[in-house]
């Protein structure tokens, strides 16, 4: 069975107290303490109401409160600030400022000059998870908000779809389809802001996100942002020869964390590590796959040989390579790319794929780092595509960065597909159209139909055969599927599919995807794309005129 990758999502239930002047009233309404207005919250089928504080479904960039510790001096031909994150994730981060970086006041969205900022200011920043390996690490800043001591920081989004409801309010889809932001007509800062369209950037101020999928929030204030300058930090890095320090690797979004394993869950389709990080950073949950294209690599940090999960147990010291972006849940979650065991804290090691070999040095880290081979290197010859372990301590602040390895090992027998994301296989996209459906040796005739070229199958018959409970909610036109491990909601007429964990105490959700056809009514029931069951872990095959799902 195909192992299912669980993406991180923050879905923690929280009742808001007086944060931001909002309280949860007894009649399932939100009551603004200051002006006594009320807002109805969506209720679940059991009559309860759930709300979460600032918990978006998927993190598009990193953000948080920080203190400015340094501002670029006038003699340096670059604009940047150095900040100290309040969450302790880094001692300091240098945030480079480009043509499309916005500096705004959180009170009214008005522009702020860099010259108005000073060391010691408390700000809220949005920046790329891509980091250089310099000290301090560098990233590209998209937005800085000042005046954040009072009220909730504005949320920074890009509109993916914009629709007007019967009242004239706009409902904006964002966060990869994971969030609906409702903006009342009188919430826009300027009248022209209501002309927002797909692709536009905007700010929205809100305190509550309803616990549903997609999440739902109502903005009490919103503002359309200017169109981003086409010259981004990537273009600047190619043309500027005056300041190597300002360049940022735009796609190096894997970071390494030294930690101790607290718990290992590795059974059926649920795989994660709970690890304790040093320097007071707290616990981190690392979700992983054990097979397939996204399987995590396990490597002995001393020999460079692949190992297995028997080497990982509570108390094991590890070096984890994981996605830089994490959820806002407790503990935060991230996706594990590789894991090093048998690590030496005094001699840090890193894992890379070789991108270029030139004059005794290797280009790695998406073009962001040159590693010179040790003088005594006598290992296997290296070519593009090889996976290596490299030990080094100092990286020159340049772009690309430069270092010399004290030790380097080429990994053998690394699967070519390991850690290489691939698109959904689309098993139902076939030229030969099946007409029969095979379920557990039972053949159902005329149970495969085609919509937009996509093979459609009866959802109840297939789901129940695969061990899912099926629940139909007529009022919402939705179908809920769960097998106790994973679950999903399907909506008639909506070509958007996702799944989340159904295990109590765990949070996790895949990114929404489209299969080219929405769930639809037919004379004998509701049909869905066969690709849905492939996504949920089943095997879908077509042999002649028969489709088999098992």
């Amino acid at each position: 069975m195909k192992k299912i990758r669980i993406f991180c999502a923050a879905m923690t239930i929280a009742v808001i107290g007086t944060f931001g002047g909002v309280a949860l009233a007894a009649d399932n309404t939100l009551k603004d303490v200051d002006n006594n207005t009320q807002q109805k919250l969506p209720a679940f089928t059991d009559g309860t109401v759930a709300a979460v504080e600032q918990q978006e479904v998927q993190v598009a960039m990193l953000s948080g409160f920080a203190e400015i510790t340094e501002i670029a001096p006038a003699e340096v031909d670059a604009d940047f600030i150095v900040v100290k994150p309040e969450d302790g994730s880094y001692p300091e981060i240098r945030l480079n400022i480009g043509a499309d970086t916005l500096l705004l006041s959180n009170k009214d969205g008005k522009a702020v000059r860099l010259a108005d900022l000073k060391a010691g200011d408390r700000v809220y920043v949005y920046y790329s998870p891509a980091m250089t390996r310099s000290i301090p690490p560098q990233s590209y800043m998209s937005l800085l908000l000042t005046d954040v001591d009072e009220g909730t920081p504005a949320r920074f989004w890009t509109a993916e779809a914009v629709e007007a409801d019967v009242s004239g309010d706009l409902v904006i889809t964002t966060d990869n389809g994971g969030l609906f932001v409702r903006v009342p007509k009188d919430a826009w800062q300027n009248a022209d802001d209501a002309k927002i369209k797909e692709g536009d950037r905007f700010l929205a101020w809100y305190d509550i996100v309803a616990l549903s999928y997609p999440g739902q929030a109502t903005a009490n204030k919103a503002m359309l942002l200017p169109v981003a300058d086409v010259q981004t930090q990537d273009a600047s890095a190619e043309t500027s020869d005056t300041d190597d320090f300002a360049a940022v690797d735009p796609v190096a979004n894997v970071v390494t964390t030294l930690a101790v394993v607290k718990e290992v869950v590795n059974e059926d389709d649920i795989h994660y590590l709970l690890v304790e990080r040093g320097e007071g950073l707290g616990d981190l949950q690392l979700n992983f796959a054990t097979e397939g294209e996204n399987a995590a690599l396990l490597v002995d940090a001393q020999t460079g040989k692949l190992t297995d999960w028997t080497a990982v147990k509570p108390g094991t010291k590890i070096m984890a390579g994981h996605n830089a972006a994490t959820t806002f849940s407790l503990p935060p979650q991230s996706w594990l790319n590789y894991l090093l065991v048998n690590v030496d804290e005094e001699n840090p090691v890193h894992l890379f794929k070789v991108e270029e070999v030139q004059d005794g040095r290797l280009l790695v880290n998406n073009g962001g780092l040159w590693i010179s081979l040790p003088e005594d290197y006598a290992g296997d010859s290296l070519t593009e595509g090889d996976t290596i372990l490299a030990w080094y301590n100092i990286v020159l602040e340049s772009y690309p960065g430069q270092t010399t390895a004290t030790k380097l090992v080429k990994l053998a027998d690394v699967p070519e597909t390991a850690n290489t994301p691939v698109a959904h296989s689309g098993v139902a996209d076939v030229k030969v159209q099946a007409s029969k459906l095979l379920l557990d040796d039972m053949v159902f005739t005329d149970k495969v139909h085609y919509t937009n070229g996509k093979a459609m199958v009866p959802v109840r018959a297939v789901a129940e055969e695969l061990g899912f409970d099926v629940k139909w909610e007529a009022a919402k036109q939705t179908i809920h599927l769960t097998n106790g491990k994973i679950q999903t909601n399907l909506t008639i007429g909506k070509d958007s599919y996702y799944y989340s964990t159904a295990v109590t105490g765990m949070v996790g959700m895949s990114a929404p995807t489209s299969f080219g056809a929405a769930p639809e009514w037919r004379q004998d029931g509701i049909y869905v794309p066969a690709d849905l069951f492939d996504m949920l872990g089943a095997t879908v095959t077509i042999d002649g005129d028969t489709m088999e799902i098992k």
Side-chain angles (χ1 to χ4, degrees):
M1 177 177 286
K2 176 181 176 183
K3 296 298 181 184
I4 297 177
R5 175 175 179 174
I6 298 292
F7 286 80
C8 299
M11 297 291 287
T12 306
I13 298 177
V15 176
I16 309 304
T18 57
F19 181 78
V22 178
L24 188 61
D27 60 350
N28 292 348
T29 60
L30 288 179
K31 186 173 182 180
D32 191 300
V33 177
D34 296 327
N35 58 27
N36 204 35
T37 58
Q38 293 182 335
Q39 172 193 348
K40 193 72 174 179
L41 278 177
F44 292 127
T45 53
D46 61 1
T48 62
V49 174
V52 292
E53 173 189 338
Q54 297 283 51
Q55 301 292 312
E56 279 70 49
V57 174
Q58 190 175 9
V59 181
M61 64 180 74
L62 300 181
S63 65
F65 289 101
E67 177 187 345
I68 297 177
T69 59
E70 181 185 349
I71 298 176
E75 61 268 21
V76 176
D77 187 18
D79 290 332
F80 67 85
I81 63 171
V82 179
V83 300
K84 179 181 179 181
E86 289 187 1
D87 63 5
S89 55
Y90 295 91
E92 285 186 322
I93 305 174
R94 171 172 157 165
L95 299 176
N96 297 309
I97 299 172
D100 60 347
T101 300
L102 296 169
L103 308 178
L104 304 173
S105 169
N106 189 58
K107 290 182 178 179
D108 51 21
K110 292 183 179 180
V112 175
R113 299 182 306 162
L114 181 60
D116 295 330
L117 302 177
K118 62 184 183 299
D121 285 352
R122 186 176 190 241
V123 293
Y124 195 88
V125 289
Y126 288 84
Y127 54 97
S128 170
M131 295 277 185
T132 65
R133 295 181 183 270
S134 57
I135 299 177
Q138 299 180 38
S139 181
Y140 185 78
M141 182 167 64
S142 297
L143 171 66
L144 178 145
L145 296 172
T146 64
D147 304 317
V148 293
D149 289 332
E150 298 180 5
T152 303
R155 310 309 295 178
F156 181 37
W157 295 117
T158 297
E160 296 159 12
V162 181
E163 297 182 5
D165 65 9
V166 292
S167 68
D169 295 348
L170 295 184
V171 179
I172 305 172
T173 304
T174 188
D175 199 17
N176 297 306
L179 180 67
F180 294 151
V181 179
R182 176 181 295 275
V183 183
K185 291 180 293 185
D186 58 358
W188 292 106
Q189 288 285 88
N190 304 293
D192 287 343
D193 289 353
K195 298 177 182 178
I196 185 173
K197 61 185 183 300
E198 180 180 340
D200 286 344
R201 303 183 303 172
F202 69 101
L203 294 182
W205 285 260
Y206 51 84
D207 299 297
I208 303 295
V209 178
L211 184 56
S212 59
Y213 192 84
Q216 300 177 54
T218 298
N220 54 64
K221 185 169 61 176
M223 186 179 77
L224 181 64
L225 294 173
V227 176
D229 194 301
V230 295
Q231 180 180 342
T232 66
Q233 70 272 32
D234 304 337
S236 300
E238 293 174 358
T239 58
S240 174
D241 57 4
T242 58
D243 182 43
D244 287 337
F245 301 114
V248 174
D249 176 6
V251 289
N253 58 359
V254 174
V255 297
T256 56
T257 295
L258 188 65
V260 175
V261 175
K262 295 180 66 175
E263 183 181 2
V264 182
V265 176
N266 188 9
E267 54 188 27
D268 298 324
D269 290 320
I270 305 299
H271 312 281
Y272 70 88
L273 297 178
L274 183 64
V275 303
E276 181 179 0
R277 298 174 289 178
E279 300 181 354
L281 296 180
D283 293 347
L284 176 68
Q285 180 174 315
L286 298 171
N287 302 311
F288 62 90
T290 57
E291 60 183 51
E293 297 88 356
N294 298 305
L297 281 179
L298 272 71
V299 181
D300 187 303
Q302 301 306 311
T303 65
K305 294 182 178 180
L306 299 184
T307 184
D308 56 39
W309 285 101
T310 59
V312 184
K313 54 180 65 74
T316 303
K317 290 183 178 180
I318 61 167
M319 176 73 78
H322 58 90
N323 286 5
T326 60
T327 66
F328 288 121
S329 58
L330 290 176
Q333 299 181 39
S334 185
W335 181 256
L336 181 66
N337 290 270
Y338 67 85
L339 191 69
L340 303 179
V341 297
N342 196 15
V343 296
D344 179 0
E345 295 184 41
E346 301 300 323
N347 197 8
V349 60
H350 305 274
L351 183 145
F352 294 109
K353 187 175 288 293
V354 176
E355 296 153 18
E356 185 179 337
V357 180
Q358 182 187 106
D359 299 328
R361 61 179 187 166
L362 313 173
L363 185 64
V364 299
N365 197 31
N366 296 298
L369 179 66
W370 282 107
I371 301 178
S372 296
L373 297 177
E375 291 184 3
D376 59 351
Y377 179 73
D380 296 334
S381 60
L382 297 166
T383 60
E384 180 181 338
D386 287 342
T387 302
I388 62 167
L389 286 179
W391 287 257
Y392 56 84
N393 292 287
I394 299 175
V395 178
L396 295 180
E397 282 194 343
S398 61
Y399 193 82
Q402 301 177 57
T403 190
T404 298
T406 57
K407 178 180 175 182
L408 191 141
V409 173
K410 175 183 174 181
L411 272 67
D413 304 321
V414 176
E416 292 184 1
T417 58
N419 303 102
T420 304
V422 296
H424 187 270
S425 59
V427 294
D429 290 326
V430 293
K431 294 181 179 179
V432 178
Q433 294 193 348
S435 58
K436 300 176 182 178
L437 179 61
L438 176 60
L439 294 175
D440 193 25
D441 297 329
M442 295 182 292
V443 178
F444 299 85
T445 305
D446 297 328
K447 289 296 183 180
V448 182
H449 300 282
Y450 284 81
T451 299
N452 300 329
K454 303 296 297 184
M456 309 287 286
V457 296
V459 62
R460 182 175 292 275
V462 176
E464 290 183 345
E465 176 63 30
L466 296 175
F468 285 84
D469 291 331
V470 182
K471 181 180 179 181
W472 165 248
E473 294 189 33
K476 297 180 180 180
Q477 294 287 286
T478 61
I479 310 108
H480 179 71
L481 307 181
T482 182
N483 63 0
K485 298 176 183 177
I486 58 174
Q487 60 186 337
T488 187
N489 286 308
L490 313 171
T491 303
I492 300 296
K494 186 174 182 179
D495 179 20
S496 180
Y497 302 88
Y498 76 98
Y499 57 89
S500 62
T501 177
V503 179
T504 303
M506 290 189 60
V507 291
M509 183 175 294
S510 71
T513 187
S514 169
F515 291 138
E520 62 184 17
W521 280 103
R522 300 188 70 87
Q523 289 183 344
D524 55 345
I526 298 172
Y527 279 67
V528 297
D531 282 336
L532 168 68
F533 296 105
D534 177 69
M535 182 183 78
L536 295 179
T539 300
V540 183
T541 58
I542 295 179
D543 184 8
D545 65 348
T546 302
M547 172 183 287
E548 181 178 11
I549 303 178
K550 62 180 181 180

